[in-house]
Structure formats: structure tokens, C-alpha cells
């Protein structure tokens, strides 16, 4: 090797990024065992997935929690659960990421208390609470309170950690779900930076942090991004992100220390981009997506967690998660990636792409600021409408073949996959008894507490929430009194109220009608005439706590384009509310969307409700991540048709829904 080549190497190999797997299901004890196994395999950080009741501030015995307990994460209802979750794991030596937003203050209070009980100094606790509520209104759907109240909770957490937990990242601005909701790279960067500005402004304006310490606040703000398979563009996106964050923190907040201005981000590569069809192709997708956030040294992720190859099929098994961890380890320890400076410095191709993304993101940020900031842009529906429109365009490209997805809309011929030969055995199964056990356990916990202490702690929380006091102290008092997740959130609901953001359906630009859509429109109109109604009416329902509404919204937009009258009331509805809407609106078809795995509980509850209401004749179709065996059970229960991610042609789905309506009404084609 010549001297020039040798001098291009770093004097010392870089340390690898923090390696995580996103884990949690069933119970605190089961998840604790999973954590221990993953740490033994070389994982260097913990990333906690909480179940939907925990994320939305409900206890496991609440009506809305039915079918959701322990499915997409671990249920944590009180300090006892948090103790069990970290039993035998020294939190003072961990770097723990918690994907939690609306109740982030509460979960941090539980974690901080467990650390205290273990004897760990608060100043040594390291990790992250996601705590980005803005994207919940736009994409993920686990919001509780209105935007202003939510930002207050975020600011309180930032101020608390700055004083007591200086190694903790109190907020992780999350653009991950924005990309899944349709965001282009420009929108992802622009919208995320607008959220960061809103958080920093809220902290600055709260009066809790001296002006001279804003640099310390900026230094603890991190980001959590998505990386898609267009890995060159994703790498340029992160370099643009880095450039704009440097500008904003220097110019808007006066941060002079370059180390404090450094963009600090973690990543999970794109889960919703993984396919049910030919799922073995997901392996190469995950690897390519990982390259987008690791190849550029100057914009490399600080922490990476990878999904498993079978996440489009169901809950990954420990072996599947291990496979994804090994991908990171091979790249970090077997390849020579960490031995070199940035590979793209001086590339005019990369710089041009970075300039393009950065300029577009600046324009988006400026537009949001002109609207009054990110909260106003949420409340007016601008952000949601923009995402729905972008996702509509992305779906159009998928359907017409402009965007190729191997195994889905091209190269669909395939040999049987040995990876899926086991059927339902290819994914983790959550024992249905988990939910009842959790409900019984939380009731037993309540019965064994000092109720007077609980009542006093909750009353103090409500009183502080009605004023301007930082709510962290009252929250910690609630933790120690034995208050539950649902009780903490319930007390704040009483003061702050709840919030239902705009659905954004108006942003779905009308599709230019091709021949297939014209034919479907004609069938919709003809069927309405035969039934003696003005238009066919479709109710799109999201039962339970599943907040992934992107698919439901795209179905609603395409149904409107096909000539249906669409009734869509948003997310987080009880089966009884869906039944009541179906009866009151006199719809012709009910379409249910469930991606959390709770379909075997939520869907039969709607069917039973329709029968009780005298509408057993009303057809129901279901869409979601539904294994074949479960789909057969749903059809046996009375569901007319089941759609899964492999059914990507929305216009074709519209045609099949018309057929369902015609058959239910004994109309011949």
C-alpha cells in the first residue's frame, strides 16, 4: 500500500454506533428476559417498545385496551412493572431508548425512580425519551392532549433533565413516522426541524432555563429518522439535515460551541417498506437502508436499530431480531467502513443533492413559520394534508409501476420461501392470556395501595397542571405513591382535555382516472342506482388504539375518487362507536383497518355489535397485517373479505369492495 493510500485512513478506527433492537411484548417479565438475551448477544443499548395502552395512557383493564395489551410492546402500568422490566439490569450502566411520547414524562419518572432504587446516581442515567408529540398528530396517532399542553409537558421534561439528568436526551425529534406517512426527504427534514424549533422555543419561553444554558439544551436534543431503500438520497438527506441544524442552532438560538450544535441522531430503517410478498427480499432492503445512515462519517447515526425481515407478517421472534443485530455487527466489525474519513467529501454529485434537499427543506420550514409555527400548521391541517397528498402520489407510482418494488409490482414469479414455510410459526405469538393477566394484575395493584396517598398525589398533579408549575415533581410523587399509567393520564385529561386532529383527507389530490378507475366508478354509480340511493356510502373505521392511519386514509381517498361517499372519523374508536356510526350513517359497507395485531378481538366485536343493532346484513371488510390463519378465522366469523399489504392496488380493492356490496344485496354482475 502506498503512502497516499495509507494517509487516507483514520489514525484510529472509529467506535461503532450504539446497536439496538426495538423490543418489548407480552409482559415486563417476558421483555426483561428478551433484553437479557439481546445484551448477551452483543447489543449495546436497549430500545423499549411499549404497548398501545401504555403509549396512549390507559391501563390494561380499560375498554379501549381490549385486544391491544402486550401486542406491539410491553405493558407498563406502574412502578412495579418498571421494576420487573429492568430486574437484574443495572440502569446506571445502560443507554436506554424509550419510544414513548404523550406519557413520556410518566415513563421517565418510572425509569428515574427505578434507577434511584437501584442506587444509580441520576446524573449517570443515560438514554432517550422520544417525547415528540407533533408527529403523533400527523402519523403515528398516540397523542392524548392538545398540542400546547403537550409541548408544555415536553418543556418540563427538558428543564428537569437539564438539572437532574444531564446525560439524558429528553426529546428525540422523530421524522421516522413522517416518512412512513408519505413525507418526501424535503418534507421529512423541513417538518422535523419545524418541530425542533417549536420545542426549543417552548423551553426558552417557559422561563425555566437561563438563556446562557440554551446551548446545553440544544446539545441534549436528538433526532430519530427513517432510512428508506434509496440509500444515496437518504445519505444526502442526513448531510442536509446536519447542515440545517447547524444553521438553526447558531443563528436562531445563538449556540456558539460546535460540539453543542452537532446533529445527534438515531435511526430505524423503514419498517413499512418491508413486504409481505417475497419477504426474503427484506434482508437486502434492510442492509441497503442501513448503509444510508452509516456510509457518510460526517452524518453517521449515533445509534441504529433494524427491523426484522418478517415485520410485514407479524411480531418478530428473538431469532429474527438476532439476525438484524448481526447485520450491524458484520458492517461495523468485519468491513473496513470505520477506518476512513468521510467517503463523500468533495463529491459534486453528493453536494448537488444535499443542496437540493436543504434548499427545499428551508422553504418548508419558512412556510410553516409563516403559518405561525408547527402547532398552527397541525391545527390548520396543513401538515397532515401535505403528507396525505405525498403518500397518495407515492401510491400512484407504486400502482402504475413507476416505482418498482421487487416481488410486489415486478418480478413477482417466485419459488416457495422456506422462511415462511412454518406459517404462523414464522412470527412471535402473543399468548391471549397475557391481557387477562395484566388486567388482573393492575386491579390487584390498585387494591394493595395506600389509596389516600394515591388520591393526594393525583390531586397535587391536577392542581399543578392547572397552573404553570413544572409537572415532573408531581409526577415523581405519583410514581412513588403507586399511581397507574391510566390514572396519571386521566388526571391530566381532566385538566388539559383530549385532542382529535384533522384527518387530512382533503389533501388527497384527486387521481387522474385511468381506464380501470373509470370502470370502477361506473360500477359504483350503477350499484347505487340499483339500490335506490344517491351514492354508495363507505365507513372507514379504526377500532382500538392502533394509530397507524396511513393505509385507512389512502383507502378513504381512493374510495372518494371511485365515487363513494366516505365517512371517516379518525382513529381510536370503540367497536360500539363504529357500529353506531354505521347505523346512523346508513352505510353500505364497513371497512376496518387494524395493524396492531388486535384484529381477532376488535373485528368480532364490531360484527357482534352490528348483529345486536339489527344490521347483520351489513358487509364488513378488513385490512391490516393479518396472517393467513387469522384471515380464515375472520372470514369464518362473518368478514366478507380480508386485505393485507400484498394487496397494493387500491383501485382493484375498490372494485372488490363494490363486488362485496353487490353480493350482500343479491345484485348480479
Amino acid at each position: 500500500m502506498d503512502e497516499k493510500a495509507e494517509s487516507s485512513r483514520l489514525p484510529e478506527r472509529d467506535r461503532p454506533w450504539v446497536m439496538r433492537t426495538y423490543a418489548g411484548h407480552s409482559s415486563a417479565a417476558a421483555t426483561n428476559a428478551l433484553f437479557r438475551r439481546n445484551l448477551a448477544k452483543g447489543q449495546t443499548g436497549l430500545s423499549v417498545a411499549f404497548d398501545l395502552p401504555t403509549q396512549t395512557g390507559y391501563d390494561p383493564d380499560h375498554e379501549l385496551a381490549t385486544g391491544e395489551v402486550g401486542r406491539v410492546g410491553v405493558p407498563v402500568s406502574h412502578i412495579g412493572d418498571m421494576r420487573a422490566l429492568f430486574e437484574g439490569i443495572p440502569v446506571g450502566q445502560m443507554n436506554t431508548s424509550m419510544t414513548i411520547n404523550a406519557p413520556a414524562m410518566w415513563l421517565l419518572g418510572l425509569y428515574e425512580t427505578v434507577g434511584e432504587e437501584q442506587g444509580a446516581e441520576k446524573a449517570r442515567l443515560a438514554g432517550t425519551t422520544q417525547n415528540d408529540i407533533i408527529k403523533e398528530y400527523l402519523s403515528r396517532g398516540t397523542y392524548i392532549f392538545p398540542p400546547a399542553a403537550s409541548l408544555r409537558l415536553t418543556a418540563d421534561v427538558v428543564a428537569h433533565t437539564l438539572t437532574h439528568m444531564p446525560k439524558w436526551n429528553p426529546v428525540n425529534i422523530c421524522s421516522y413516522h413522517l416518512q412512513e406517512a408519505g413525507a418526501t426527504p424535503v418534507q421529512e427534514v423541513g417538518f422535523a426541524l419545524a418541530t425542533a424549533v417549536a420545542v426549543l422555543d417552548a423551553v426558552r419561553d417557559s422561563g425555566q432555563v437561563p438563556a446562557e444554558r440554551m446551548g446545553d439544551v440544544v446539545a441534549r436534543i436528538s433526532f430519530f429518522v427513517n432510512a428508506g431503500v434509496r440509500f444515496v438520497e437518504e445519505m444526502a438527506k442526513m448531510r442536509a439535515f446536519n447542515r440545517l441544524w447547524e444553521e438553526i442552532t447558531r443563528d436562531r438560538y445563538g449556540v456558539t460551541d460546535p460540539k453543542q450544535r452537532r446533529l445527534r441522531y438515531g435511526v430505524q430503517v423503514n419498517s413499512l417498506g418491508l413486504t409481505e410478498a417475497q419477504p426474503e427480499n427484506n434482508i437486502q432492503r434492510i442492509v441497503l437502508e442501513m448503509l444510508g445512515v452509516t456510509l457518510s462519517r460526517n452524518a453517521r447515526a449515533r445509534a441504529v436499530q433494524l427491523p426484522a425481515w418478517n415485520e410485514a407478517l407479524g411480531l418478530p421472534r428473538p431469532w429474527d431480531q438476532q439476525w438484524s443485530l448481526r447485520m450491524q455487527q458484520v458492517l461495523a466489525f468485519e468491513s473496513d467502513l470505520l477506518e476512513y474519513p468521510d467517503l463523500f467529501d468533495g463529491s459534486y454529485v453528493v453536494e448537488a443533492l444535499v443542496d437540493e434537499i436543504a434548499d427545499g427543506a428551508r422553504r418548508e420550514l419558512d412556510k410553516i413559520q409563516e403559518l405561525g409555527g408547527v402547532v398552527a400548521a397541525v391545527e390548520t391541517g396543513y401538515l397532515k394534508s401535505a403528507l396525505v397528498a405525498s403518500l397518495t402520489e407515492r401510491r400512484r407510482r407504486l400502482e402504475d409501476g413507476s416505482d418498482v418494488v421487487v416481488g410486489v409490482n415486478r418480478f413477482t414469479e417466485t419459488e416457495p420461501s422456506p422462511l415462511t414455510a412454518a406459517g404462523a410459526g414464522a412470527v412471535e405469538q402473543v399468548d391471549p392470556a397475557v391481557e387477562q393477566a395484566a388486567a388482573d394484575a393492575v386491579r390487584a395493584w390498585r387494591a394493595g395501595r395506600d389509596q389516600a396517598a394515591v388520591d393526594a398525589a393525583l390531586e397535587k398533579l391536577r392542581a399543578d397542571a392547572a397552573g404553570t408549575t413544572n409537572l415532573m415533581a408531581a409526577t415523581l410523587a405519583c410514581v412513588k405513591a403507586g399511581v397507574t399509567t391510566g390514572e396519571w393520564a386521566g388526571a391530566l385529561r381532566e385538566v388539559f382535555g383530549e385532542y382529535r386532529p384533522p384527518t387530512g383527507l382533503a389533501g388527497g389530490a384527486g387521481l387522474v382516472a385511468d381506464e380501470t378507475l373509470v370502470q370502477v366508478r361506473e360500477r359504483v354509480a350503477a350499484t347505487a342506482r340499483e339500490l335506490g340511493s344517491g351514492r354508495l356510502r363507505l365507513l372507514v373505521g379504526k377500532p382500538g388504539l392502533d394509530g397507524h392511519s396511513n393505509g385507512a386514509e389512502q383507502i378513504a381517498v381512493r374510495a372518494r375518487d371511485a365515487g363513494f361517499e366516505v365517512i371517516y372519523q379518525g382513529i381510536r374508536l370503540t367497536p360500539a362507536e363504529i357500529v353506531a356510526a354505521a347505523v346512523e350513517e346508513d352505510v353500505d359497507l364497513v371497512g376496518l383497518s387494524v395493524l396492531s395485531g388486535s384484529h381477532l378481538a376488535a373485528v368480532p366485536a364490531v360484527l357482534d355489535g352490528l348483529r345486536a343493532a339489527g344490521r347483520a346484513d351489513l358487509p364488513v371488510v378488513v385490512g391490516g397485517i393479518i396472517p393467513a390463519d387469522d384471515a380464515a378465522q375472520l372470514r369464518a366469523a362473518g368478514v366478507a373479505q380480508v386485505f393485507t399489504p400484498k394487496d397494493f392496488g387500491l383501485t382493484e380493492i375498490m372494485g372488490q369492495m363494490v363486488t362485496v356490496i353487490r353480493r350482500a344485496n343479491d345484485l348480479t354482475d
Side-chain angles (χ1 to χ4, degrees):
M1 182 179 293
D2 60 34
E3 290 185 12
K4 184 176 181 180
E6 186 62 37
S7 66
S8 69
R9 292 179 182 270
L10 294 169
E12 185 176 335
R13 183 183 174 92
D14 280 341
R15 292 177 57 188
W17 51 89
V18 175
M19 299 183 190
R20 296 185 171 120
T21 52
Y22 184 50
H25 67 84
S26 300
S27 67
T31 301
N32 174 266
L34 181 60
F35 284 171
R36 291 177 185 235
R37 290 199 300 272
N38 287 346
L39 289 169
K41 293 171 184 173
Q43 182 175 303
T44 54
L46 295 176
S47 182
V48 187
F50 296 100
D51 73 354
L52 288 174
T54 305
Q55 291 185 53
T56 51
Y58 293 107
D59 290 334
D61 59 346
H62 192 280
E63 177 188 12
L64 276 170
T66 301
E68 306 280 14
V69 177
R71 286 211 168 268
V72 300
V74 57
V76 175
S77 301
H78 46 70
I79 185 62
D81 286 342
M82 191 64 95
R83 290 174 185 139
L85 184 61
F86 291 98
E87 175 69 28
I89 298 175
V91 299
Q93 300 172 30
M94 288 291 105
N95 188 302
T96 303
S97 172
M98 294 193 284
T99 302
I100 196 72
N101 294 287
M105 177 182 285
W106 173 248
L107 272 298
L108 179 62
L110 293 172
Y111 188 84
E112 181 179 332
T113 302
V114 165
E116 184 180 291
E117 291 176 351
Q118 289 187 359
E121 297 178 18
K122 289 183 182 181
R124 293 185 58 190
L125 295 178
T128 303
T129 32
Q130 191 170 100
N131 204 16
D132 172 8
I133 198 61
I134 297 299
K135 66 92 172 53
E136 297 298 322
Y137 303 122
L138 303 175
S139 53
R140 182 61 187 84
T142 63
Y143 49 79
I144 302 175
F145 316 113
S150 297
L151 277 177
R152 173 192 170 179
L153 291 173
T154 300
D156 284 357
V157 168
V158 172
H160 172 80
T161 55
L162 189 67
T163 302
H164 300 286
M165 302 169 67
K167 290 188 175 182
W168 194 266
N169 300 324
V171 59
N172 195 221
I173 306 300
C174 181
S175 67
Y176 176 87
H177 295 101
L178 298 181
Q179 185 180 123
E180 290 195 337
T184 64
V186 163
Q187 289 173 324
E188 185 180 347
V189 176
F191 293 4
L193 289 173
T195 298
V197 166
V199 169
L200 289 173
D201 283 358
V203 172
R204 179 193 62 196
D205 298 343
S206 73
Q208 299 185 69
V209 176
E212 64 272 15
R213 294 214 63 189
M214 281 301 292
D216 296 325
V217 172
V218 167
R220 301 316 309 175
I221 301 294
S222 59
F223 292 80
F224 187 72
V225 306
N226 200 331
V229 75
R230 293 171 59 83
F231 69 95
V232 176
E233 187 174 67
E234 294 292 347
M235 181 271 296
K237 177 186 77 179
M238 295 318 305
R239 289 172 71 100
F241 219 138
N242 200 40
R243 179 189 297 177
L244 294 177
W245 183 241
E246 169 92 5
E247 290 177 9
I248 289 168
T249 54
R250 181 190 64 230
D251 300 341
R252 187 179 181 95
Y253 300 103
V255 179
T256 56
D257 186 343
K259 290 183 179 179
Q260 292 179 325
R261 295 197 305 262
R262 185 179 302 153
L263 180 76
R264 303 161 66 253
Y265 79 97
V267 65
Q268 167 146 332
V269 306
N270 189 6
S271 291
L272 283 190
L274 305 182
T275 65
E276 177 188 12
Q278 299 182 26
E280 62 275 11
N281 295 334
N282 293 331
I283 298 302
Q284 49 266 38
R285 291 186 179 107
I286 293 168
V287 171
L288 290 171
E289 290 165 351
M290 175 173 56
L291 293 179
V293 292
T294 54
L295 280 177
S296 175
R297 183 176 187 254
N298 293 339
R300 184 172 293 152
R302 297 284 291 273
V304 176
Q305 60 191 44
L306 304 181
W309 68 276
N310 54 353
E311 288 200 13
L313 307 177
L315 186 67
R317 300 159 299 185
W319 183 85
D320 306 313
Q321 291 190 326
Q322 174 183 302
W323 195 355
S324 291
L325 175 63
R326 295 293 185 246
M327 293 179 201
Q328 295 199 58
Q329 291 168 331
V330 169
L331 179 63
F333 297 107
E334 291 191 29
S335 85
D336 58 349
L337 174 65
L338 300 182
E339 297 174 9
Y340 295 96
D342 197 289
L343 306 178
F344 303 99
D345 283 352
S347 165
Y348 67 88
V349 173
V350 169
E351 278 306 301
L353 185 53
V354 171
D355 288 344
E356 178 184 331
I357 295 172
D359 291 345
R362 276 194 203 94
R363 288 193 294 272
E364 280 290 354
L365 180 57
D366 290 344
K367 183 171 184 177
I368 292 167
Q369 293 305 109
E370 288 170 7
L371 289 171
V374 77
V375 169
V378 167
E379 293 174 338
T380 62
Y382 166 71
L383 294 179
K384 184 66 174 178
S385 293
L387 292 175
V388 171
S390 291
L391 188 55
T392 299
E393 173 60 17
R394 186 190 298 172
R395 294 289 314 192
R396 182 198 63 75
R397 295 196 306 270
L398 174 66
E399 291 183 71
D400 70 15
S402 300
D403 287 353
V404 174
V405 180
V406 174
V408 174
N409 65 353
R410 195 168 175 186
F411 310 115
T412 55
E413 299 78 8
T414 181
E415 299 296 328
S417 170
L419 290 175
T420 57
V427 293
E428 186 79 19
Q429 300 297 312
V430 175
D431 186 346
V434 161
E435 184 165 311
Q436 187 59 53
D440 291 343
V442 78
R443 284 192 282 266
W445 175 269
R446 294 193 199 105
R449 304 176 304 188
D450 179 346
Q451 192 59 43
V454 169
D455 292 343
L458 288 171
E459 182 55 37
K460 181 68 164 64
L461 177 65
R462 281 188 287 264
D464 285 357
T468 59
T469 303
N470 187 305
L471 295 180
M472 199 70 208
T475 293
L476 288 167
C478 285
V479 167
K480 293 171 182 176
V483 166
T484 67
T485 299
E487 290 169 335
W488 178 86
L492 293 182
R493 280 183 170 98
E494 292 177 33
V495 180
F496 297 147
E498 292 193 77
Y499 185 68
R500 295 192 72 81
T503 64
L505 294 191
L511 187 68
V512 176
D514 58 14
E515 183 178 348
T516 303
L517 183 57
V518 169
Q519 292 172 353
V520 172
R521 283 178 180 170
E522 290 173 351
R523 288 188 71 212
V524 169
T527 303
R529 286 194 300 271
E530 291 176 63
L531 292 175
S533 60
R535 296 175 70 186
L536 292 187
R537 295 165 66 79
L538 167 68
L539 173 67
V540 177
K542 290 285 296 177
L545 298 175
D546 170 31
H548 280 297
S549 61
N550 305 329
E553 290 155 1
Q554 291 304 306
I555 288 289
V557 169
R558 186 60 56 84
R560 187 184 61 194
D561 286 342
F564 283 91
E565 181 176 345
V566 178
I567 295 94
Y568 176 59
Q569 299 171 320
I571 65 172
R572 214 177 300 170
L573 301 173
T574 65
E577 289 171 329
I578 291 173
V579 169
V583 172
E584 182 179 341
E585 299 285 352
D586 191 25
V587 300
D588 299 290
L589 179 67
V590 174
L592 302 178
S593 169
V594 186
L595 283 87
S596 65
S598 65
H599 44 267
L600 291 182
V603 175
V606 173
L607 294 171
D608 290 344
L610 289 172
R611 293 187 188 103
R615 289 303 315 269
D617 61 314
L618 184 56
V620 175
V621 297
V622 180
I625 299 175
I626 302 174
D629 292 347
D630 289 1
Q633 288 188 53
L634 293 176
R635 285 190 289 267
V639 169
Q641 197 149 348
V642 176
F643 301 100
T644 66
K646 70 177 182 297
D647 301 302
F648 69 91
L650 296 186
T651 301
E652 286 75 14
I653 290 174
M654 296 303 114
Q656 292 177 57
M657 293 199 304
V658 177
T659 299
V660 166
I661 294 172
R662 295 186 66 83
R663 288 175 179 169
N665 290 277
D666 296 321
L667 301 177
T668 57
D669 281 316

